[in-house]
Amino acid sequence: MSARSNSSGNKITVRSLHEKKQVGEKIVCLTAYDASFARVLDQAGVDVVLVGDSLGMVVQGNETTLPVTVDEMLYHSQMVARGLTNSLLIVDMPFLSDTSVEAALENAGLFMKQAGAQMVKLEGGAEQADIVSILVQHGIPVCAHLGLQPQRVHKLGGYRVQGREASAAEAMLQEAKILEQAGADLIVLECVPAELAETITGALSVPVIGIGASAACDGQILVLYDILGLSMGRIPRFSHNFLSEAGSIKGAIQAYVEAVKSGTFPGQDHIFS
Ligand code: KIV
């Protein structure tokens, strides 16, 4: 049996994520970057562990996620995979690792083959539909990432809420539908007005995971170091320091899991209008 085999039947799969949406059970997602934290998340009942390219900021101390390489993502993903038994592992495609079908297939293939990823996440809208479709055709589940896309921070002129104007909101809704049609199994919405996030969640049959989006999303994701109050600089408004109340790392992660499952997170302070 491999280290990640699990005979208890609690293993999260793409299918079980879809079932959670159908029955209205919230999906708890959190980032991790090494085996020890991954194990704590797994044991606390986090459904999805994302090796986010946010590691470029919170682990490496860069200003943006742009410098992160495929090799670095692979290194961290392999560590995280060793800590997981039940949680589903998603690995972020780092900046410019998915600019062609060939590059996307090669790099996503590395994460699946050498790190045991069960899904890859890529930023971008309708322009990514062909790449999503090819990955899916080759058996690689995809999570699409709409709204604020940190890899485009320079083009966006900062980390800003996206989709506030009616035309941008309509465009995002259409892009979400196109990505679902292309085969995406999950959609992350980052920093979008709560009303738009709710509309997109209701319009799609695949689960929608919010970060700075809406409590009405099918699940939530945050950056681990933010909820532990470890991130350098200011904690984003949409996040919350769960450690200061819980008093231990394990307690903080359990409190986050409970808050997402019960619908008490995100609250009004963590969403945008
Ligand atoms: O890189 C990351 O951690 C992410 C999440 C914040 C969604 O993309």
Side-chain angles (χ1 to χ4, degrees):
M1 287 217 309
S2 82
R4 299 197 66 210
S5 300
N6 170 19
S7 55
S8 69
N10 295 329
K11 181 116 196 68
I12 303 294
T13 62
V14 171
R15 191 178 166 149
S16 57
L17 294 179
H18 284 236
E19 285 166 0
K20 282 179 192 292
K21 173 159 183 144
Q22 279 157 19
V23 299
E25 192 185 321
K26 295 289 182 191
I27 299 169
V28 186
C29 315
L30 194 57
T31 68
Y33 315 102
D34 68 41
S36 299
F37 272 115
R39 188 161 158 272
V40 178
L41 269 57
D42 190 274
Q43 291 179 348
V46 172
D47 297 307
V48 171
V49 173
L50 168 71
V51 182
D53 63 355
S54 51
L55 70 85
M57 298 169 80
V58 300
V59 177
Q60 298 175 336
N62 294 307
E63 289 281 319
T64 70
T65 60
L66 273 56
V68 178
T69 67
V70 168
D71 284 349
E72 289 164 349
M73 291 304 296
L74 192 55
Y75 173 70
H76 284 275
S77 303
Q78 287 169 333
M79 290 191 281
V80 168
R82 287 181 208 120
L84 300 183
T85 301
N86 291 322
S87 314
L88 183 126
L89 175 60
I90 305 184
V91 177
D92 247 344
M93 300 290 286
F95 184 53
L96 300 185
S97 66
D98 54 3
T99 48
S100 67
V101 164
E102 292 74 21
L105 262 182
E106 182 176 340
N107 292 321
L110 283 177
F111 299 146
M112 303 289 286
K113 289 200 280 191
Q114 295 185 20
Q118 289 148 288
M119 187 180 288
V120 297
K121 176 166 83 57
L122 45 87
E123 295 181 13
E127 76 286 354
Q128 294 284 51
D130 288 346
I131 286 176
V132 171
S133 172
I134 293 284
L135 291 175
V136 170
Q137 280 170 40
H138 285 81
I140 301 177
V142 175
C143 172
H145 183 149
L146 286 170
L148 172 59
Q149 296 159 36
Q151 292 174 8
R152 295 172 197 224
V153 60
H154 297 308
K155 183 74 184 148
L156 297 173
Y159 297 101
R160 298 166 189 284
V161 177
Q162 302 295 308
R164 275 197 163 129
E165 307 76 25
S167 59
E170 179 56 28
M172 203 185 298
L173 173 61
Q174 294 313 321
E175 295 203 288
K177 288 181 179 171
I178 289 168
L179 289 162
E180 176 179 58
Q181 190 67 34
D185 274 300
L186 213 57
I187 308 270
V188 164
L189 288 183
E190 179 165 353
C191 285
V192 303
E195 202 182 320
L196 173 60
E198 186 167 356
T199 302
I200 294 176
T201 303
L204 300 188
S205 48
V206 297
V208 174
I209 309 298
I211 171 166
S214 165
C217 290
D218 303 303
Q220 303 294 326
I221 186 161
L222 287 177
V223 169
L224 173 65
Y225 285 25
D226 288 343
I227 74 163
L228 299 180
L230 288 175
S231 301
M232 288 178 282
R234 206 166 41 87
I235 175 172
R237 187 190 132 188
F238 55 72
S239 195
H240 179 74
N241 183 341
F242 284 87
L243 182 65
S244 55
E245 294 140 32
S248 73
I249 288 172
K250 203 170 163 186
I253 292 162
Q254 281 169 342
Y256 169 66
V257 170
E258 190 44 44
V260 173
K261 282 199 184 293
S262 64
T264 55
F265 182 86
Q268 285 304 315
D269 293 348
H270 311 115
I271 59 176
F272 303 99
S273 52

